[in-house]
Structure formats: structure tokens, C-alpha cells
Amino acid sequence: MNFHMLALVVVLLAGLEQSWAASCVVDSFTVKEDFDPKRYAGKWYALQKKDPEGLFLQDNISAEYTIGDDGSMVASSKGRVTLFGFWVVCADMAAQYTVPDSANPGKMFMNYQGLASYLSSGGDNYWVIDTDYENYAITYACRTLKDDGSCEDGYSLIFSRNPRGLPPTIQRSIRAKQEEICMAGQFEPVLQSGTSLLNVYPKGTCAAKGSLLAWTETPTDD
């Protein structure tokens, strides 16, 4: 009896594992339908992030997207990063975006460059999983796939137009999307420390206007 029960448990676990793997196949993830880069353009502040392996921006992350005359999207982004384990610098990055499939504009490819010799350059997918254009956006990139099509090494950012946070109703929608891209529970808050960075960077190049109160805070009108 015990042997049969054990065999049943093993079969059930194997089935659950296969089901999870199938639901986490990256190519099955949906992105924002009919993504409109013109509405997406403007300033965004990162509130949460799931880091990839290796070096990544740590806090005070912001990005500003603009649309060129030819309709292509470019961005300038900023954030603090720690190099060599001790050197904290303000990283300025630039990026250009292309759309491999015009029928799916929410799935873009991003070429990025660090605007200093000690910052990296490269390319990643840039998928806009969801956005309402006015409040929040969820971006996703998978750098390395497993044999089963799920993601081995990827990252995601939760952006807001307001560095102080998002209302609870939007937070619930975002958590649902985090589950859909198989990253639930893997995100960490992104500090937006505002004027406190002015003492370190006199020009305020890494400082967001205002401050992030908390992920659970609802912004109030000034």
C-alpha cells in the first residue's frame, strides 16, 4: 500500500512539474496588445525589479523614452550601480529599440550602451508585458532559455509614472502579471531616494524627483 501511494505521489509531482514548465514557456507569454510607443513615451520610474545574473542597476532607476521622426523609439536611463564590489556610481545608459515583428509591437529588441567606458553594452529582448500608459508598465527580458523553453536567466522591471508608488488596485493587477511570467515572489523594491542623493551627486543625475514611500503606499495629491 505504501509503495502504491509513493508511486502515485511521484506521478502527481511529475505531472505538476510538466504543467508548470509548459505554463512558463517564454514564447507563450503575452504582451501588451497593439502596443503604442507614442503613448508609452515619457518618463518612467522603476518601483520593483527582478535582477538577471551579473551586474544590474540597483536603485534610483529611471528611464525616459522618446519617439523619433521615423517612429523608432530610443531611451536614456539612469541608476546607481556598484562596480567591483565597492565603487558606487551613477550609470547613464542609452538604448535603441527595434520591432522584429510589426504584427507584435510589444515585443521589441533593445540595443543598449553605457555612456562611460566602465559600463557594459549589449542587447536584450524588451517585452512590454502590460501597461496602461498613464500609471504603470511591466517590462520583461529573458537572456537564456532552458531546454524546455522556460527562462534560465531573465529580468523584469515594474515602472510607474510616479516615483512615490502605485494604488492597491494596480498593484494587484501587477502581481497577477508577475505570476503569468513565472516571477512571482522574485521581485525586490527599488529605492527612489530623491533629494538624498544630491549630497553625493551635486547635479542630481541619479536622483528621482520625490521619493518612493513604499510598494504598498497609495500616492496622494500634492
Side-chain angles (χ1 to χ4, degrees):
M1 181 66 177
N2 290 338
F3 173 78
H4 291 300
M5 288 294 294
L6 178 60
L8 179 60
V9 169
V10 170
V11 170
L12 288 174
L13 288 175
L16 288 172
E17 184 178 2
Q18 290 178 355
S19 176
W20 181 87
S23 66
C24 288
V25 171
V26 173
D27 284 343
S28 70
F29 295 166
T30 59
V31 297
K32 177 67 176 179
E33 188 176 2
D34 298 324
F35 174 71
D36 185 348
K38 291 182 179 179
R39 294 181 63 192
Y40 189 74
K43 190 70 170 283
W44 291 96
Y45 301 92
L47 297 186
Q48 283 194 331
K49 66 187 176 84
K50 188 276 179 188
D51 289 345
E53 296 177 3
L55 188 67
F56 199 66
L57 297 176
Q58 64 190 55
D59 58 34
N60 288 282
I61 303 168
S62 65
E64 185 155 9
Y65 299 85
T66 56
I67 309 301
D69 294 336
D70 60 354
S72 62
M73 188 168 75
V74 298
S76 60
S77 60
K78 303 177 187 296
R80 286 203 313 168
V81 64
T82 301
L83 302 175
F84 314 116
F86 65 91
W87 185 24
V88 180
V89 299
C90 178
D92 287 273
M93 309 289 291
Q96 305 81 38
Y97 302 83
T98 56
V99 181
D101 181 3
S102 59
N104 204 351
K107 288 187 175 182
M108 292 171 278
F109 188 82
M110 171 181 67
N111 287 296
Y112 61 88
Q113 308 85 35
L115 301 184
S117 59
Y118 49 78
L119 298 174
S120 62
S121 299
D124 285 325
N125 288 322
Y126 185 92
W127 292 6
V128 181
I129 298 297
D130 196 21
T131 183
D132 66 354
Y133 302 105
E134 297 178 356
N135 296 287
Y136 75 95
I138 307 169
T139 67
Y140 173 85
C142 182
R143 289 179 168 175
T144 308
L145 289 172
K146 296 180 181 178
D147 291 339
D148 62 8
S150 61
C151 192
E152 175 74 30
D153 177 27
Y155 63 94
S156 179
L157 289 161
I158 308 300
F159 284 110
S160 172
R161 293 290 192 186
N162 188 332
R164 294 179 297 171
L166 290 166
T169 52
I170 292 179
Q171 292 177 33
R172 286 192 289 271
S173 298
I174 288 173
R175 282 193 288 270
K177 290 295 181 180
Q178 289 172 335
E179 292 180 0
E180 290 180 16
I181 60 175
C182 301
M183 287 185 170
Q186 299 182 48
F187 286 76
E188 61 180 279
V190 175
L191 174 69
Q192 295 285 357
S193 58
T195 56
S196 66
L197 274 181
L198 294 177
N199 295 327
V200 181
Y201 305 104
K203 293 183 180 180
T205 53
C206 267
K209 185 178 180 181
S211 61
L212 175 62
L213 301 178
W215 172 244
T216 56
E217 290 280 353
T218 302
T220 57
D221 295 331
D222 293 331

